[in-house]
Amino acid sequence: MSHDNQARTMLPIPDRPAHGLTTYDAKDPDTRFPPIEPLLPPSGAPNVVVILLDDVGFGASSAFGGPCRTPTAERLAAGGLRYNRFHTTALCAPTRQALLTGRNHHSVGMGSITETATSAPGQSSLRPNTMAPLATTLKMNGYSTAQFGKCHEVPVWQTSPLGPFDAWPSGGGGFETFYGFIGGENNQYEPALYDGTTPVEPPATAEEGYHLTEDLTDRAVGWVRQQKALMPDKPFFVYFAPGATHAPHHVPKEWVDKYAGNFDDGWDAQRERTFARQKELGVIPADTELTRRHDEITAWDEMPDDLKPVLARQMEVYAGFLEHTDHHVGRLVDAIEDLGILDDTIIYYIIGDNGASAEGTMNGAFNEMANFNGMAALETPEFMISKMDEFGGPDSYNHYSVGWAWAMNAPLQWTKQVASHWGGTRNGTIVHWPGGIEEAGGLRSQFTHVIDVAPTVLEAAGLPEPTMVNGVMQSPMEGTSMLYTFNEAGSPERHDLQYFEMFGNRGIYHQGWSAVTKHKTPWIMVGGDLPAFDDDVWELYDGNGDFSQARDLAAEHPDKLATLQRLWLIEATKYNVIPLDDRGAERLNPELAGRPTLIRGSSQMFFAGMGRLSESSVVSIKNKSFSVTAEIDVPETGANGVIIAQGGRFGGWAVYAKDGRLKFVYNVLGIQEFATEADTRLPDGTHQVRMEFAYDGGGLAKGGNVTLYCDGEPVGKGRVAATQPMIFSADETTDIGYESGTTVTPDYSARDSRFTGRLHWVQLDVGTDDHDHFIDPEERLRVALSRQ
């Protein structure tokens, strides 16, 4: 179907009835109508594949001089273009929403991650309907659209199995197909997957060789093949966003062992090697300086000698993880080539949605949730050494040391979250399109940004930016098409003004110069003193001759610095950056942050079979007393299985039956397990069972006493010495009558976790003083609803 570009500015494209003779009888020889034709974009519109890796620094991939072998990236670079001044936002969800809309991340409400959203417009995690996603525009212009992998753009109060699905990829995100996960990260061996909006289980287990990246690639390859088999004339848009290489760094051991011994001399030496290789490849200017190591980052020589083998292993695991990821990206590229359409496909290979992640502490982490809970001290050097061989495997939830993150960002300063400096925001990017790029193996150094991808795709497809979508007037895209750079290596840059901000770390780029101030250190998640914003120290760099921000010129050019500081404030005001918000743990609390919650009050009802409930979909029991009450039918053979479980192997709690006895387990980070078991078996028949946890109080992460009841009578007592104060898991969920993913306790597996009797209902109450230890069934629902 042919449409002029003016018609395509209003989406969906308005139907235009054909005028002419209308006959009375369809058999009349004058009866004719124009043929029904499929909606297609303009002739020559290319297929589009956007590949976005996670948490990869500028100096990690071998395509940009790093130690991690990425032959697919090198192959695409040899046939396309490398961009060495492409920028992101310094954090995952903001980068992704900016990429998918062509707007700055605060403009689309994603000033931070969804889990720390506030009610401020720039921080709400709600994309305005005046800023439709690129996928929607392409779909309404005749593209087939599909997303595979990570989606971190759904507001946390909309992540339950009942949605609403407006922000989900296949709901209101513009993708006809979605297979992947919702949230910031996932277990690569046992992910919480969705097919569209339907929860599904992985097709195999870790023991059977399952890995998420391979599964996502299988799905993407199958979809592309089917799309071309059934709709060969219709171009496609594939957004391939694996959870790799975000922590946990999960990869089969054979990929890790390829790097055995490669990093034994530490991060300082590795950074020097990477810097030399970058100059040799020409991916950085010859006069680039290697920026110094900041005092907050410990020198390799000053790390404990007995910990160094563990630290080296962490980097071996990460390198294997990145190579493994690139290998599977290569499978997708091979499938496109085998179909004979590689020349007609634009491939964006964005190697990282921000700089390398320094969220793993100086010692690294066997379970990264320890640091997110302010409990990293539990992972002592002795503990880390004992777990060395398990890093990267199914029993780990690991992260590498801050030192390795710094090394992977060579030659730049700082890391992920630090939006002020290029180490947080500069990501090596490759564009491959033989049908539209004349030079093979070229380098482009114009300033570019992730918001430039959407307008580039539209220009390449010959499509106008829509002015109206679904009846809503659209705000203009804020990015600049990169298409002019494809065949004009020396063309002056067109995107010459860009603000940056994340957690108070902020900066401004304008015509080569950058003014920046680092406000907050990423790996200090709990505690730490922050300066007032007005006390932050600003730095000034001239990028025309200083690629890495190595020479601070603030003292030499105070007027230039003042001009750029004012310009930052103007841009920040324009794009909803103000007010600045550097709060940490407070923003995890929805009441303090000001965002909605799915569940309100102090009580929540559940029924058997409910599951895949995210942590934001369940009333919080952290740092307070709580109780679980359930009505169950116990079979003559005895009760077994889960009544309710939250979290999994790396932290959580569960009420369940084992060999006929009621049990409660609290698992602290997979390091400490506190179990309470009933003294007697549960009798046959219908009974009400209850677990009460009486929190000690006096601060966060304290312990408490546990009492188990059957029909109001105590049947067991126990003690929990410590609890997790902030978060159980970024990917595990709450399940009723069974447990998905990894299990809270090895007492059962996911396959045999289903409750063997009948589970009528479960009620979770927090902060209550219900001393009769029994809920009247007739009053149950009324009381529960009154507390919500």
Side-chain angles (χ1 to χ4, degrees):
M1 184 181 295
S2 177
H3 296 281
D4 60 35
N5 275 2
Q6 184 173 357
R8 292 180 186 269
T9 61
M10 182 179 292
L11 300 177
I13 301 170
D15 293 325
R16 296 181 178 180
H19 297 288
L21 175 67
T22 300
T23 60
Y24 181 73
D25 189 337
K27 299 186 292 295
D28 189 314
D30 290 329
T31 301
R32 59 179 56 86
F33 299 95
I36 299 173
E37 297 179 355
L39 173 64
L40 294 172
S43 177
N47 304 302
V48 179
V49 178
V50 175
I51 301 158
L52 181 65
L53 301 192
D54 205 328
D55 285 3
V56 187
F58 183 84
S61 161
S62 59
F64 287 86
C68 309
R69 292 182 285 271
T70 52
T72 300
E74 292 182 30
R75 167 190 167 194
L76 292 174
L81 302 173
R82 283 180 175 91
Y83 284 79
N84 67 352
R85 293 174 74 230
F86 182 94
H87 300 84
T88 55
T89 70
L91 201 60
C92 44
T95 289
R96 291 159 195 271
Q97 196 69 296
L99 166 72
L100 293 170
T101 62
R103 277 88 169 187
N104 285 303
H105 61 111
H106 291 89
S107 295
V108 285
M110 203 66 74
S112 176
I113 54 175
T114 56
E115 292 81 356
T116 57
T118 75
S119 55
Q123 303 279 352
S124 68
S125 75
L126 292 168
R127 174 182 54 79
N129 60 9
T130 56
M131 300 181 181
L134 172 66
T136 297
T137 299
L138 293 178
K139 181 179 72 171
M140 289 184 168
N141 275 287
Y143 270 77
S144 297
T145 59
Q147 175 177 339
F148 302 92
K150 171 176 172 176
C151 172
H152 198 185
E153 302 88 61
V154 181
V156 290
W157 63 93
Q158 298 179 5
T159 58
S160 84
L162 289 182
F165 301 112
D166 298 348
W168 289 52
S170 58
F175 291 101
E176 296 163 315
T177 294
F178 170 62
Y179 181 76
F181 63 93
I182 304 296
E185 64 188 50
N186 227 301
N187 189 315
Q188 298 288 317
Y189 297 113
E190 300 188 63
L193 292 170
Y194 286 88
D195 189 344
T197 59
T198 302
V200 294
E201 296 302 315
T205 65
E207 292 75 17
E208 294 167 335
Y210 178 84
H211 192 280
L212 176 58
T213 306
E214 181 177 358
D215 184 18
L216 295 173
T217 308
D218 290 345
R219 288 293 191 115
V221 167
W223 185 89
V224 167
R225 288 171 174 167
Q226 180 169 258
Q227 196 275 343
K228 282 305 166 194
L230 298 178
M231 300 179 176
D233 297 330
K234 192 170 185 175
F236 59 72
F237 172 41
V238 170
Y239 175 39
F240 187 75
T245 56
H246 196 293
H249 299 161
H250 283 162
V251 66
K253 187 174 182 294
E254 60 267 23
W255 293 86
V256 178
D257 290 343
K258 290 183 176 187
Y259 291 89
N262 286 18
F263 305 105
D264 288 352
D265 53 357
W267 42 73
D268 295 283
Q270 179 56 57
R271 194 167 159 95
E272 294 278 357
R273 278 196 300 273
T274 297
F275 181 58
R277 179 61 177 156
Q278 289 170 331
K279 285 195 171 183
E280 180 184 335
L281 285 176
V283 294
I284 62 174
D287 61 356
T288 300
E289 296 179 29
L290 183 62
T291 55
R292 68 175 184 86
R293 176 173 39 77
H294 296 278
D295 294 339
E296 293 92 331
I297 303 171
T298 307
W300 176 261
D301 290 343
E302 295 174 6
M303 295 299 292
D305 288 338
D306 58 349
L307 192 60
K308 286 180 179 177
V310 181
L311 296 171
R313 187 61 171 176
Q314 292 170 9
M315 187 59 218
E316 293 167 7
V317 170
Y318 180 82
F321 193 20
L322 181 52
E323 183 177 349
H324 175 266
T325 305
D326 180 82
H327 165 77
H328 288 289
V329 171
R331 291 177 51 223
L332 177 57
V333 174
D334 288 343
I336 293 170
E337 185 172 35
D338 291 345
L339 290 168
I341 57 174
L342 187 61
D343 288 359
D344 302 320
T345 302
I346 294 180
I347 298 178
Y348 261 90
Y349 194 171
I350 305 172
I351 308 177
D353 56 353
N354 40 245
S357 170
E359 295 156 341
T361 80
M362 280 309 307
N363 287 352
F366 186 70
N367 179 359
E368 66 158 347
M369 288 296 125
N371 195 31
F372 286 118
N373 280 283
M375 304 173 79
L378 287 176
E379 296 195 332
T380 63
E382 293 76 18
F383 172 84
M384 297 287 279
I385 292 167
S386 73
K387 296 293 186 179
M388 177 173 165
D389 292 338
E390 298 178 37
F391 273 79
D395 292 330
S396 68
Y397 207 84
N398 53 306
H399 205 327
Y400 59 10
S401 167
V402 168
W404 292 123
W406 171 69
M408 291 304 99
N409 288 323
L412 310 170
Q413 297 190 57
W414 295 111
T415 63
K416 174 184 177 180
Q417 293 192 27
V418 186
S420 51
H421 292 74
W422 298 145
T425 63
R426 182 165 287 177
N427 287 91
T429 294
I430 296 161
V431 182
H432 183 275
W433 184 25
I437 296 174
E438 297 169 0
E439 180 184 6
L443 178 70
R444 297 293 182 267
S445 295
Q446 292 92 343
F447 182 94
T448 49
H449 191 273
V450 69
I451 62 175
D452 298 337
V453 175
T456 304
V457 169
L458 291 182
E459 185 178 2
L463 293 171
E465 184 181 329
T467 58
M468 183 173 289
V469 176
N470 292 323
V472 179
M473 291 292 293
Q474 296 295 292
S475 173
M477 286 187 177
E478 294 158 6
T480 303
S481 172
M482 297 166 57
L483 201 70
Y484 75 97
T485 68
F486 286 4
N487 295 310
E488 299 177 27
S491 180
E493 66 188 25
R494 298 181 184 177
H495 189 150
D496 62 1
L497 173 62
Q498 179 64 46
Y499 83 90
F500 295 89
E501 191 277 335
M502 193 66 62
F503 301 123
N505 299 315
R506 53 206 191 274
I508 185 82
Y509 172 86
H510 187 224
Q511 297 179 348
W513 288 80
S514 60
V516 303
T517 181
K518 183 234 170 216
H519 176 77
K520 190 173 185 179
T521 303
W523 53 94
I524 301 177
M525 297 184 183
V526 179
D529 295 325
L530 291 175
F533 293 118
D534 288 344
D535 293 338
D536 285 332
V537 177
W538 284 74
E539 304 159 14
L540 178 69
Y541 300 98
D542 182 3
N544 296 298
D546 182 6
F547 178 87
S548 60
Q549 295 177 319
R551 299 185 296 276
D552 181 8
L553 304 177
E556 300 173 37
H557 299 282
D559 291 343
K560 182 68 173 179
L561 176 61
T563 298
L564 290 177
Q565 287 174 307
R566 183 182 298 117
L567 185 56
W568 181 87
L569 187 59
I570 293 170
E571 293 297 290
T573 303
K574 183 190 305 182
Y575 294 116
N576 285 337
V577 182
I578 305 297
L580 292 170
D581 194 339
D582 60 0
R583 292 175 296 167
E586 302 98 315
R587 289 178 63 172
L588 293 173
N589 184 320
E591 293 181 4
L592 295 177
R595 64 176 174 271
T597 56
L598 180 65
I599 301 298
R600 299 177 181 87
S602 60
S603 188
Q604 187 171 5
M605 290 297 304
F606 303 99
F607 298 95
M610 292 177 65
R612 199 64 76 77
L613 304 177
S614 65
E615 209 155 310
S616 298
S617 301
V618 178
V619 63
S620 176
I621 56 91
K622 302 178 190 74
N623 310 303
K624 62 189 73 171
S625 299
F626 71 100
S627 65
V628 172
T629 310
E631 184 175 294
I632 61 174
D633 288 349
V634 179
E636 293 182 359
T637 55
N640 278 288
V642 169
I643 295 173
I644 181 172
Q646 181 174 45
R649 178 185 301 147
F650 307 104
W653 59 272
V655 178
Y656 61 104
K658 176 71 173 178
D659 297 329
R661 295 174 186 254
L662 184 65
K663 292 191 72 172
F664 171 72
V665 163
Y666 198 107
N667 172 357
V668 179
L669 298 166
I671 300 173
Q672 300 173 330
E673 182 179 289
F674 304 101
T676 302
E677 183 174 3
D679 301 326
T680 59
R681 288 171 58 90
L682 292 168
D684 302 350
T686 301
H687 300 280
Q688 189 178 112
V689 295
R690 181 177 174 93
M691 185 285 304
E692 291 184 2
F693 174 75
Y695 189 63
D696 290 341
L700 304 179
K702 303 302 181 181
N705 295 319
V706 177
T707 307
L708 302 178
Y709 296 88
C710 180
D711 296 328
E713 297 298 322
V715 294
K717 293 182 180 295
R719 173 76 184 164
V720 173
T723 57
Q724 290 180 216
M726 300 296 180
I727 184 173
F728 288 117
S729 174
D731 60 328
E732 298 279 6
T733 55
T734 297
D735 304 299
I736 315 302
Y738 74 104
E739 186 170 7
S740 62
T742 66
T743 57
V744 171
T745 170
D747 262 3
Y748 54 85
S749 67
R751 289 184 173 181
D752 63 12
S753 66
R754 194 164 295 277
F755 189 70
T756 55
R758 182 182 177 190
L759 181 58
H760 294 270
W761 51 265
V762 179
Q763 182 167 314
L764 175 62
D765 294 290
V766 297
T768 58
D769 296 315
D770 195 356
H771 293 300
D772 59 6
H773 317 300
F774 185 84
I775 295 178
D776 183 341
E778 295 183 2
E779 292 292 305
R780 171 182 56 83
L781 189 57
R782 182 188 64 79
V783 172
L785 291 175
S786 70
R787 288 175 176 169
Q788 290 186 13

